[in-house]
Amino acid sequence: MSSENRCENCIIRQFNSLRAMSKEELKQVSDSKTSKTIKKGEAIFEEGEKLNGVFCVREGVSKLSKLSSNGKDQIVKLATKGEVMGQRSVIAEETSNLSAVAVNDMELCFIPKEVIVNTLHKNPDFTFEVLRLMAHDLKEADDVIVNISQKTVKQRIAEAFIYLKANYGEDAEGFLTLSLSREDIANVVGTATESCIRIISEFKKKGLLKSSGKKLGILDEKKLKDLAEGF
Amino acid sequence: MSSENRCENCIIRQFNSLRAMSKEELKQVSDSKTSKTIKKGEAIFEEGEKLNGVFCVREGVSKLSKLSSNGKDQIVKLATKGEVMGQRSVIAEETSNLSAVAVNDMELCFIPKEVIVNTLHKNPDFTFEVLRLMAHDLKEADDVIVNISQKTVKQRIAEAFIYLKANYGEDAEGFLTLSLSREDIANVVGTATESCIRIISEFKKKGLLKSSGKKLGILDEKKLKDLAEGF
DNA sequence: AAATATATATGATAATTGTCACCTTTTCAA
DNA sequence: TTGAAAAGGTGACAATTATCATATATATTT
């Protein structure tokens, strides 16, 4: 294995809990991990599946979603470069409550749970780091709950675009780096695909968004923000 | 201080992360903690407030809510006997993202954050236990997101009553032990108070719920469950 | 390049839910 | 105990959003 594939040398690690691991622990992770390439649209794991480890995102974006009883998928979180997926299930020793599907082509590392659990019980710094990140996820989940229940679909879609720009940026021509389908956006904000399409069309007509092929870009961020806040 | 007020002897502790503390750590907690009595309707802490410790619920129930930009309160969680409030903020070293208000008369212990943070960095078992409970909270939050965005108000209210019975039980006459105001129920499910009142009235007419004074009771749990599932 | 599938778009309509106004009952403090 | 405040309740209506049908554009496969 080339040295760039060793966790010790992986830059990604700086963004997640693995940065709190000792050299020996990292070596263990590195020796037991496997790399995976996942194509856009492919599943990484399914809701209800027992996870034998966690997935560290090296490249690409994954949508974490949960199927509701009415057959619709609700996207609960987008996981990006550096983020670790599946830790909640491993920690709680439960099957996954979410499915993970690649939004674009991805590179992942799979780390067997034994190494993780082992470190969790031995290295308080690592455990605390995992805890800190989960505390952050929980806060974000609280925010999502409030937004979904108190804001209109229009507000939430406006907010989604601001989020996409803030978290994934835009290219030289001002188009969003991460392009989600209308259906995915609908599943993020919790609405019907048609409603989502309608509102995006409206935003384009009003000069808030622009589009070129599959790409969408923000033209008037301030107005979008005002809209999201309810003005 | 009488021995019953020592954490070492507190039964409540068995239900939260403090059960993973060592004798010496518990002694520290016990020596530094203060007890508080909070009357129904009083605030324990406010959104945006810097918390200098965590609150352990000894008696009563607290609603944890977040104000949305439209002025409505969304109740994100109900905290009961044994649960610890405010840990998320202490761990993330952020101001609280939620407010806590007593739903009925409460008894709380306030534990200064130094003791908690100290133990978090020294005792991996404790840290892991906090992590495990937070993982559970996060799963519940995911479920709330899916429910709010995919189920109708009627389904969510039906579900809320099932939740109240399952988690707080009922008295000898079959009335729910925890009685929330219609406004609180509305704020749990994320709807307007009037809509909530209307649907509760409908449930009473249909023989799913009964009421006597302020008390509400479940008459037909099976039908409520079917309703919540969308039948 | 044609055929097929998938994504986007839009109209018409119905269902759900929120808002405002007003009323009654209950609770609570003076 | 009595008046004020809060909670519960209901009607009328408006706004929001979902659903269904159908059309068009774009991508993908053969």
Side-chain angles (χ1 to χ4, degrees):
Chain A
M1 188 185 282
S2 71
S3 76
E4 62 190 315
N5 285 328
R6 302 286 307 172
C7 301
E8 296 92 319
N9 304 320
C10 180
I11 328 159
I12 293 306
R13 176 168 64 84
Q14 290 309 319
F15 301 107
N16 64 41
S17 49
L18 271 71
R19 67 177 183 169
M21 279 193 176
S22 70
K23 272 192 182 158
E24 303 84 64
E25 285 159 349
L26 272 177
K27 189 177 177 309
Q28 267 196 23
V29 170
S30 213
D31 290 345
S32 58
K33 78 160 208 281
T34 53
S35 297
K36 299 197 175 193
T37 304
I38 306 277
K39 290 236 172 64
K40 175 180 177 175
E42 283 179 3
I44 299 157
F45 55 82
E46 300 277 357
E47 195 179 331
E49 195 178 307
K50 193 173 172 298
L51 299 185
N52 294 312
V54 300
F55 298 86
C56 180
V57 180
R58 282 174 59 111
E59 198 58 61
V61 176
S62 166
K63 52 182 177 184
L64 293 159
S65 68
K66 188 167 156 58
L67 207 63
S68 79
S69 47
N70 68 8
K72 281 194 185 163
D73 240 11
Q74 173 68 36
I75 297 176
V76 162
K77 182 180 163 67
L78 294 171
T80 332
K81 192 189 276 196
E83 286 189 84
V84 177
M85 304 190 293
Q87 21 184 4
R88 206 208 60 76
S89 311
V90 165
I91 289 159
E93 297 183 89
E94 296 166 345
T95 57
S96 176
N97 63 324
L98 303 172
S99 303
V101 172
V103 170
N104 42 35
D105 292 351
M106 297 185 75
E107 275 181 55
L108 302 166
C109 289
F110 174 80
I111 306 171
K113 72 172 173 196
E114 290 74 28
V115 193
I116 300 292
V117 172
N118 212 356
T119 312
L120 280 173
H121 281 107
K122 282 185 186 157
N123 181 344
D125 288 347
F126 175 69
T127 315
F128 185 76
E129 199 56 26
V130 175
L131 181 57
R132 218 175 48 80
L133 292 168
M134 197 164 291
H136 178 254
D137 279 355
L138 185 57
K139 183 187 188 173
E140 289 216 318
D142 287 344
D143 288 343
V144 171
I145 291 171
V146 176
N147 278 340
I148 287 194
S149 74
Q150 308 285 8
K151 291 191 172 179
T152 65
V153 171
K154 200 176 286 186
Q155 288 178 295
R156 274 137 57 199
I157 291 181
E159 205 162 45
F161 280 104
I162 292 164
Y163 174 87
L164 289 175
K165 179 174 172 183
N167 285 272
Y168 301 96
E170 50 186 27
D171 63 19
E173 292 95 41
F175 291 103
L176 292 169
T177 310
L178 180 65
S179 63
L180 295 175
S181 70
R182 314 294 150 109
E183 191 181 0
D184 279 345
I185 298 173
N187 290 344
V188 166
V189 304
T191 190
T193 309
E194 295 97 321
S195 302
C196 181
I197 287 172
R198 245 182 269 273
I199 289 169
I200 290 177
S201 300
E202 189 194 321
F203 285 176
K204 285 199 284 187
K205 273 176 203 140
K206 285 188 179 164
L208 306 177
L209 297 178
K210 61 179 174 179
S211 69
S212 163
K214 291 222 66 162
K215 289 190 163 297
L216 281 166
I218 292 177
L219 280 178
D220 194 335
E221 189 166 1
K222 172 148 189 358
K223 267 194 192 151
L224 273 181
K225 277 183 178 164
D226 286 351
L227 239 169
E229 291 306 315
F231 302 127
Chain B
M1 192 182 281
S2 72
S3 76
E4 61 190 317
N5 285 329
R6 303 287 307 173
C7 301
E8 296 92 318
N9 304 319
C10 179
I11 329 161
I12 294 306
R13 176 168 64 83
Q14 291 309 319
F15 301 106
N16 64 41
S17 49
L18 270 72
R19 67 177 182 170
M21 280 192 174
S22 70
K23 273 194 180 155
E24 302 83 66
E25 285 160 351
L26 272 177
K27 190 179 176 308
Q28 265 195 26
V29 170
S30 212
D31 290 345
S32 59
K33 78 160 209 282
T34 52
S35 297
K36 297 197 176 192
T37 304
I38 306 277
K39 289 238 173 62
K40 176 180 176 176
E42 283 179 3
I44 299 155
F45 54 84
E46 300 277 356
E47 197 179 330
E49 193 177 308
K50 192 169 172 302
L51 299 186
N52 293 313
V54 301
F55 297 86
C56 179
V57 180
R58 282 174 58 109
E59 198 57 61
V61 177
S62 166
K63 53 182 177 184
L64 293 159
S65 67
K66 188 166 156 58
L67 209 62
S68 81
S69 46
N70 68 8
K72 280 194 185 164
D73 240 11
Q74 174 68 36
I75 296 176
V76 162
K77 183 181 162 65
L78 294 171
T80 333
K81 191 190 275 195
E83 287 188 85
V84 177
M85 306 189 293
Q87 21 185 1
R88 206 209 60 75
S89 311
V90 165
I91 289 160
E93 296 182 88
E94 295 166 345
T95 57
S96 176
N97 62 325
L98 303 172
S99 303
V101 172
V103 169
N104 42 35
D105 291 352
M106 297 185 76
E107 276 181 55
L108 301 166
C109 289
F110 174 80
I111 306 170
K113 72 171 174 198
E114 290 75 27
V115 193
I116 299 292
V117 172
N118 213 358
T119 312
L120 279 172
H121 282 107
K122 282 186 187 158
N123 182 345
D125 289 345
F126 175 70
T127 314
F128 185 75
E129 200 55 27
V130 175
L131 181 56
R132 218 175 48 79
L133 292 168
M134 199 166 288
H136 178 256
D137 279 355
L138 184 56
K139 183 187 190 175
E140 290 216 317
D142 286 344
D143 289 343
V144 171
I145 291 172
V146 175
N147 278 338
I148 288 195
S149 76
Q150 308 285 9
K151 292 191 171 178
T152 65
V153 171
K154 202 177 285 186
Q155 288 179 295
R156 274 138 57 200
I157 291 180
E159 205 163 45
F161 280 105
I162 292 164
Y163 174 88
L164 289 175
K165 179 175 173 182
N167 287 271
Y168 301 95
E170 50 187 28
D171 63 19
E173 293 95 41
F175 291 104
L176 292 169
T177 309
L178 181 64
S179 62
L180 295 175
S181 70
R182 313 294 151 110
E183 191 182 0
D184 279 345
I185 297 174
N187 290 344
V188 166
V189 304
T191 189
T193 308
E194 295 95 321
S195 301
C196 182
I197 288 173
R198 246 182 270 273
I199 288 170
I200 290 177
S201 300
E202 188 193 323
F203 284 177
K204 286 199 284 186
K205 272 176 203 141
K206 285 187 178 162
L208 306 176
L209 296 177
K210 62 178 174 178
S211 69
S212 163
K214 291 223 68 164
K215 288 189 164 296
L216 281 167
I218 292 177
L219 281 177
D220 194 335
E221 190 167 1
K222 173 147 189 357
K223 268 195 193 149
L224 272 181
K225 278 184 179 164
D226 286 351
L227 238 169
E229 289 307 315
F231 303 127

